[in-house]
């Protein structure tokens, strides 16, 4: 096992409680990933791709599939909170673990804001008068789930489960019913504008799939994580892929693709075509719950990555403070505050989605490389894993994850060249922040790499 040669580590990980069951983990993952984007993006993307938008979603599921194998192996070998950044730090080096969380924080600027605004827009379908207070409603939504997360992981998971049951039932019903009630003639020709828009649309479509590694970040609070983390990823991926395919086919079957560019809340509008009024209204309610569950999941999972680095003293220790409900409250507050800042940018949903995907793909490159090198860098932890991918499988899933992430980044950059400068600037500032933090720690006689090694051991002792 790795032995820390630095200062003694705070037993921060012992404050988190393994209270999340397999069922709770599945609901947390599905609720996190299936958010407002599936109620909004298929219509917007179909306006350029045509009926073949479901192909865009199937293309987008490929990197998600590869990432599930990466996450299953990492989570099984390192079943701890913040396992993403801990694994990257231990396998690739502490600077890369720091950069992972740094990029993740930037992704939160782009990920939560459009969801919060989408919540306000869908709420205005019920209460049109609230349309004048869009920003205030969006802010209120983030604050409500901030408070729920501070109440404890059990409360957050309980709320998540209730929301997921309702909106997934509604989405599946819409997808199946919409295909039967829709005009299949609307699905021809499948590529009216050619194949290139379909490939381009796969980038923002991946926004709807992004986030499978969240359950790995939550590993320190999942019961029997070596068994339940891989099962959660398997069940979650299958359920989400089927649902997205059905919905992205049903929307253009009900509303001709040429009209979708002008349609707000396309799933709700499409549902009104074949569902009784009360059920069509229920789809709007389902959209609200789906959006809310994603916001809840982002606050729940991403705060744990911040917490993990703070527990190792790589981030200032204030971010690792745990409240009486065993919640890293300051870290949750950081994610909520970034969401509020992101709202000030006021970009379109597609712009937010593409920028978020760009950051996420950079993180997935690191995760893929970790999978390849895991047995050589952390041999005893890999040996203790109950799931052990062979060398060929690790190279296939790891290198595939890296290759797909690079493809998506290049595709996003070709459509928006300025995004490359944004990503480069983000990495450069992250490296600078890492160097500053490293120097501050060295003045206190602490080595950042040794702190991360000690943090991993501290976390695993509580498993």
């Amino acid at each position: 096992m790795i032995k820390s040669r630095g200062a003694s580590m705070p037993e921060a990980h012992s404050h988190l409680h393994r209270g999340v069951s397999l069922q709770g983990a599945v609901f947390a993952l599905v609720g996190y990933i299936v958010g407002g984007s599936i109620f909004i993006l298929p219509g917007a993307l179909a306006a350029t791709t045509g009926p073949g938008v479901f192909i865009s979603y199937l293309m987008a599921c490929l990197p998600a599939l590869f990432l599930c194998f990466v996450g299953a192996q990492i989570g099984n070998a390192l079943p701890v909170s913040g396992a993403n950044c801990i694994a990257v730090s231990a396998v690739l080096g502490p600077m890369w673990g720091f950069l992972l969380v740094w990029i993740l924080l930037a992704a939160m600027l782009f990920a939560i804001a459009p969801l919060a605004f989408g919540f306000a827009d869908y709420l205005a379908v019920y209460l049109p008068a609230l349309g004048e207070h869009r920003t205030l409603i969006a802010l209120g939504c983030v604050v409500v789930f901030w408070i729920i997360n501070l109440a404890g992981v059990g409360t957050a998971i309980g709320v998540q489960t209730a929301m997921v049951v309702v909106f997934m039932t509604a989405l599946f019903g819409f997808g199946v019913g919409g295909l039967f009630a829709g005009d299949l003639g609307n699905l021809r020709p499948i590529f009216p504008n050619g194949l290139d828009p379909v490939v381009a649309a796969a980038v923002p479509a991946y926004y709807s799939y992004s986030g499978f590694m969240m359950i790995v970040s939550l590993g320190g609070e999942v019961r029997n994580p070596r068994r339940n983390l891989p099962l959660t990823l398997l069940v979650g991926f299958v359920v989400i892929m089927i649902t997205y395919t059905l919905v992205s086919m049903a929307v253009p079957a009900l509303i001709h693709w040429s009209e979708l560019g002008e349609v707000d809340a396309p799933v709700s509008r499409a549902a009104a075509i074949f569902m009784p009024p009360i059920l069509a209204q229920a789809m709007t309610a389902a959209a609200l719950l789906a959006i809310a569950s994603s916001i809840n999941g982002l606050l729940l999972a991403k705060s744990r990555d911040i917490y993990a680095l703070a527990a190792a003293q790589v981030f200032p220790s204030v971010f690792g403070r745990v409240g009486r409900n065993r919640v890293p409250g300051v870290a949750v507050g950081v994610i909520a505050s970034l969401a509020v800042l992101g709202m000030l940018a006021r970009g379109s949903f597609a712009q937010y989605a593409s920028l978020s995907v760009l950051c996420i793909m950079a993180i997935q490159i690191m995760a893929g490389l970790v999978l390849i090198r895991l047995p050589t860098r952390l041999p005893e932890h890999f040996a203790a894993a109950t799931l052990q991918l062979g060398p060929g499988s690790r190279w296939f899933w790891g290198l595939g994850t890296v290759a797909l992430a690079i493809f998506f980044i290049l595709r996003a950059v070709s459509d928006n060249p300025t995004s490359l400068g944004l990503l480069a600037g983000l990495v450069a500032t992250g490296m600078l922040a890492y160097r500053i933090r490293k120097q501050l720690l060295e003045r206190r006689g602490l080595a950042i790499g040794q702190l991360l090694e000690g943090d991993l051991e501290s976390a695993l002792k509580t498993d």
Side-chain angles (χ1 to χ4, degrees), residues 348-360:
S348 69
F349 200 102
Q351 287 172 331
Y352 276 121
S354 293
L355 289 171
S356 179
V357 167
L358 195 65
C359 293
I360 291 165

Side-chain angles (χ1 to χ4, degrees), residues 68-93:
C68 282
F69 279 85
V70 173
Q73 180 64 86
I74 293 175
N76 191 274
L78 304 173
V80 298
S81 291
N84 295 325
C85 70
I86 290 176
V88 169
S89 299
V91 175
L92 303 184

